[in-house]
């Protein structure tokens, strides 16, 4: 279907031609369609996967799959054969002894840092400025657990270095955090990531300093191919605890997995999961769909990364001659070379109104939707100034948060925009030329004069 | 199917006759069957309900149903047309302005008491000894939110009286709680409940004392018929915030609803929901099934209560001549007269081993399973002695908790047992005589001598 849409994009002025979405929706499909997929999978995981992937691909990837050994049973308050089997499968893939399903990553990671802190008798944590716990969880780490956070690194636009972590692990014991959290890749930085050798060094530093190291692996599935020759287990082995997401790249309905080889840690995780209201009477609707998504997408992320590389390259080639008034490229990617299937695409030198009009025009004329929406980009110095407020105090005033929120809305004064996107299964079937064509048409309109 | 099973129970010694389960499982059915129901409902709520209920009953109850006005959409991070419609339906039924779906009741109620406390600038809460927050949530109220709890009432085996609440609301302001939580009905007391007039008085007392009143309505659906002539809204109007469960009696997959007419309170609830890790990227698998369960069961609880009354009466009549060595009835109900579809059934004067053997024998001979499992009952003085430990200190030693847990396991020394059960749709079709027959057979075996 996606390839039909791609081909369709070449026929101009056919209002009935389906629109090719270069940036597909997360969780596209109505609940009826989604539940049909879940049910078909539950009836026979193998038949479902063979239908979706083909016999050949099914065989190639079958060593990666989590396939239930018996009819899927209903879990109750955390227990169940199927639930445990899936948890164990993910844990084993990550080289850990134990896995625990969580309904959200927020809960999984809050639980994790709380336990590491409690066991150390130390309520200090350390993470990057743009960590999910910092910017997207209503400051739960502080509001719920009263943890004190130190930032790692010198700028919120750079992935921390070994030296940055060393500055933390070499703090006096009474200032040192109980746990360092690394997000791998760093989503807010367009999925920039850490060299493997840095991770090895960081892991050693933490161990030597008696600081636990936790992996926010929300996009670990996506970044693993970057670490050529290293397995999920090789990466996870450097961390004491690892969280992975089951939706996002994997496309499950909702949920996350926390893994560790420390049995006592996992027992405590179950207790905190219940305390936070995450021990569900039944998880089967989420669990089954998450296993479906895992099996459908595991083993695809190298392909998706390669596709992102060729797509980004095609778009850059097609748009390189289009420049802002002061000579900067209108379109660029961050990072320049994709680290994985997900990236940030930037557009500068145009107001959001004009950009939106151009996008709509391309969609109408070429039946290509180049993106869905953008967010305003703030220059590095602006952002760091904003964040100094946060960095300085443990509990910034709500008005600062409100101001930042306000700033994150697009308005006419902004002329630099970006959006985050990833290559999904649907995108693999769209030819690079279609991306190039859509983006060139967009740039033409942007630079066409008043 | 249930009626076939009931009839089958009359044929003796037919090992192939299906066993009649007098105590049905919560959430019986495999995930495949459950997902089929969810999907069928999602495709057409009306067609599904007509098939399950019949055209006539569908029409009779249609004023109670939450029926989506358009094709069900996928919710995202708390927003969605279908989600909001269902939330609003439950809120309106309860006479409240706003509703918010939660994935667990634990999270809904923790959020509630936290907000009431924060707004009052007072971290004290008050509830009954056997409140869910007290006994089943790993002390989250204290461990997560550091709330201080006062017990309401003089004994953990009695529903609090107006005087008991008055003792709390008339405390000096600096000892008074921010919120009083009433569980209606009180599950741990076999669903004993408060007279409506008491609720009116309690509500007035709380208002006058500037204490918020929260309703733990996990079984509000079940108890509403008890308050003859009073609607859900009449009951809920006495409370500032109301939590109801969407599984249990309603039979949805998982989830709960928090309702209130206070917009600011609800905004804060969304913030705390996110902080606790309950703001899901998608809730549709739970939401749709919960709406299905709601529509399928709303309007059935008067019938189920009446059935429980006639079943309890039939069992008591059939077993009244069977006595323990010291002349007490072997079987009795708590409360004696059911308040709703749910109750405790007690069995005394027999060890758990002998009781289990008798149950198995009845199942084999009569193809009737009278119960699934029992818990040991502790006499009032024993329990109150145990609980004095909890009542005395804010943070009882773990060994006390461990000791209580140990005590809750069945062992050979116990000769008093009980179990909680409810009339579900499957039970309505089983004749009272089948219950009577099963229980009489059980008592015969228990008293038959070594």
């Amino acid at each position: 279907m996606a390839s039909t849409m791609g081909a369709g994009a070449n026929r101009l002025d056919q209002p009935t031609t389906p629109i090719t979405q270069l940036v597909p929706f997360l969780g596209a499909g109505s609940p009826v369609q989604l539940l049909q997929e879940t049910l078909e999978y539950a009836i026979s995981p193998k038949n479902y996967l063979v239908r979706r992937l083909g016999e050949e691909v099914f065989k190639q990837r079958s060593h990666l799959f989590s396939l239930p050994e018996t009819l899927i049973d209903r879990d109750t308050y955390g227990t169940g054969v199927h639930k445990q089997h899936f948890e164990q499968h993910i844990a084993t893939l990550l080289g850990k002894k134990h896995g625990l399903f969580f309904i959200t990553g927020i809960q999984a990671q809050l639980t994790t840092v709380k336990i590491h802190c409690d066991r150390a008798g130390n309520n200090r944590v350390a993470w990057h400025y743009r960590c999910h716990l910092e910017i997207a969880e209503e400051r739960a780490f502080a509001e719920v657990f009263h943890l004190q956070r130190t930032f790692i690194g010198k700028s919120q636009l750079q992935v921390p270095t070994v030296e940055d972590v060393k500055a933390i692990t070499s703090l006096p014991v009474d200032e040192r955090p109980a746990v360092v959290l690394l997000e791998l890749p760093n989503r807010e930085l367009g999925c920039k990531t850490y060299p493997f050798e840095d991770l090895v060094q960081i892991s050693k530093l933490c161990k030597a300093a008696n600081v636990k190291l936790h992996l926010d692996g929300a996009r670990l599935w996506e970044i693993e191919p970057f670490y050529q020759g290293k397995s999920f287990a090789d990466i996870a082995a450097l961390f004491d605890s690892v969280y992975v997401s089951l939706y996002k790249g994997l496309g499950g309905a909702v949920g996350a997995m926390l893994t560790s080889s420390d049995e006592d840690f996992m027992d405590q995780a179950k207790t905190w999961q219940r305390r936070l209201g995450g021990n569900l009477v039944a998880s089967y609707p989420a669990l089954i769909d998450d296993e479906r998504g895992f099996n459908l997408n595991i083993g695809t992320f190298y392909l998706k990364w390669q596709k992102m590389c060729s797509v980004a390259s095609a778009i850059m080639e097609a748009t390189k001659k289009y420049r802002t008034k002061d000579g900067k490229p209108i379109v660029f990617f961050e990072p320049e070379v994709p680290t994985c299937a997900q990236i940030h695409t930037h557009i500068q030198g145009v107001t959001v109104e004009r950009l939106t009009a151009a996008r709509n025009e391309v969609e109408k004329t070429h039946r290509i939707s180049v993106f869905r929406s953008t967010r305003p980009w703030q220059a590095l110095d602006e952002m760091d100034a904003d964040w100094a407020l946060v960095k300085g105090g443990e509990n910034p005033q709500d008005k600062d948060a409100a101001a930042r929120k306000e700033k994150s809305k697009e308005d006419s004064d902004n002329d630099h925009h970006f959006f985050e996107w990833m290559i999904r299964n649907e995108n693999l079937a769209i030819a690079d030329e279609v991306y190039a064509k859509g983006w060139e048409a967009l740039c033409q309109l942007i630079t066409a004069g008043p």
Side-chain angles (χ1 to χ4, degrees), chain A residues 4-112:
Chain A
T4 315
M5 289 160 74
N10 287 316
R11 285 178 243 125
L12 296 186
D13 296 309
Q14 300 283 342
T16 56
T17 307
I19 291 166
T20 301
Q21 297 284 346
L22 300 188
V23 175
F25 290 84
L26 166 68
S30 71
V32 165
Q33 293 168 316
L34 296 167
L35 286 168
Q36 275 166 340
E37 297 278 311
T38 317
L39 175 60
E40 187 190 336
Y41 178 82
I43 291 170
S44 170
K46 196 195 152 188
N47 290 354
Y48 173 86
L49 292 169
V50 167
R51 176 180 77 77
R52 289 293 306 266
L53 299 173
E55 190 83 51
E56 198 59 36
V57 173
F58 177 86
K59 273 185 201 149
Q60 280 162 16
R61 295 190 195 149
S62 62
H63 63 289
L64 297 168
F65 296 153
S66 176
L67 289 174
E69 284 153 17
T70 52
L71 193 70
I72 294 173
D73 62 320
R74 179 184 181 281
D75 62 302
T76 307
Y77 290 122
T79 65
V81 175
H82 174 250
K83 178 170 183 283
Q84 205 183 339
H85 180 267
F86 183 38
E87 288 170 339
Q88 198 55 56
H89 185 88
I90 299 292
T92 303
L93 182 65
L94 300 179
K96 301 295 186 195
K97 285 191 191 152
H98 313 286
L100 181 62
F101 175 79
F102 276 80
I103 196 66
T104 64
I106 290 181
Q107 201 172 71
Q109 298 207 103
L110 272 183
T111 290
T112 299

Side-chain angles (χ1 to χ4, degrees), chain A residues 7 19 60 70 79 88-89 97 101-102 127-128 133 139 193 208-209 243 272 335 351 368 401 404 411 424 445:
Chain A
I19 291 166
Q60 280 162 16
T70 52
T79 65
Q88 198 55 56
H89 185 88
K97 285 191 191 152
F101 175 79
F102 276 80
W127 50 57
H128 184 254
L133 287 86
R139 292 180 54 81
T193 195
Y243 140 75
W272 283 106
T351 63
I368 299 173
R404 278 197 308 281
D411 67 47
R424 295 186 171 276
L445 286 165

